[in-house]
Amino acid sequence: MAALVSVLIFSTNKETRGIYQSFSVFGDYSIKFADKANTNLQQTLSTKIDLIIYEIMQPSLTEIEFVEQMYSINPTVPIVLVSGYFADTKETVFGNKIAGFVKKPLVLENVLSEVKKIINKSIKTEVFLPDLNFDNLHYENKKLSVLL
């Protein structure tokens, strides 16, 4: 990765913070932690963020609503959900609002793999497609066939 990837992490789990902080060792990541209770979400998500990691400790409606709120504020920022719950129901519960899912117990390699997959997917490569004029193409083919 050439550019610094800005990762915003919502986690209240003190045990997993060290794992998340290890990100900067394994790549060009700028890690910022946020507390969902004390964060102005509108203001936070209006800054440049490349990826959000949201760790859910206990499944509840407020956790699901928080994901929906983050998505509604900035739907272009991919959200990776880290949880011991929702593994079988993530599509039903969250739909297209989450870009990735990491099942607990939290392992750094699993999180890194998911983040790299999403970042690589979000890098857009521009493909040059020439303007094809089929009449002109047919004429050019005729000219080439004469040369053969």
Side-chain angles (χ1 to χ4, degrees):
M1 275 176 259
L4 196 63
V5 177
S6 173
V7 180
L8 178 63
I9 301 173
F10 288 95
S11 175
T12 56
N13 187 346
K14 293 182 186 342
E15 296 170 6
T16 59
R17 280 196 171 217
I19 294 173
Y20 294 126
Q21 288 172 335
S22 315
F23 263 70
S24 57
V25 175
F26 293 99
D28 296 327
Y29 300 103
S30 167
I31 305 297
K32 180 180 176 188
F33 288 96
D35 180 6
K36 76 175 195 173
N38 300 325
T39 300
N40 179 340
L41 199 56
Q42 182 75 40
Q43 182 180 3
T44 302
L45 295 180
S46 66
T47 61
K48 184 191 176 309
I49 299 169
D50 297 311
L51 183 92
I52 298 171
I53 296 176
Y54 180 45
E55 184 173 359
I56 295 180
M57 300 294 289
Q58 293 293 322
S60 68
L61 187 57
T62 56
E63 306 293 349
I64 297 167
E65 289 171 343
F66 188 68
V67 170
E68 291 175 356
Q69 187 179 12
M70 286 189 294
Y71 183 81
S72 68
I73 291 172
N74 195 341
T76 61
V77 177
I79 300 171
V80 175
L81 200 62
V82 176
S83 179
Y85 308 96
F86 305 114
D88 298 329
T89 59
K90 62 185 173 285
E91 288 86 12
T92 305
V93 174
F94 299 103
N96 67 340
K97 293 173 181 71
I98 61 170
F101 184 85
V102 177
K103 187 170 176 25
K104 283 188 163 186
L106 188 63
V107 177
L108 179 62
E109 290 79 17
N110 296 348
V111 178
L112 275 172
S113 171
E114 193 68 25
V115 167
K116 285 179 181 179
K117 182 171 60 173
I118 291 166
I119 295 298
N120 289 338
K121 192 185 298 183
S122 69
I123 296 172
K124 295 180 177 41
T125 55
E126 192 172 316
V127 177
F128 173 73
L129 292 176
D131 183 26
L132 295 178
N133 180 344
F134 289 105
D135 293 331
N136 190 28
L137 183 63
H138 182 70
Y139 175 72
E140 292 296 321
N141 283 339
K142 280 184 178 179
K143 286 192 323 187
L144 287 175
S145 64
V146 170
L147 294 175
L148 296 175

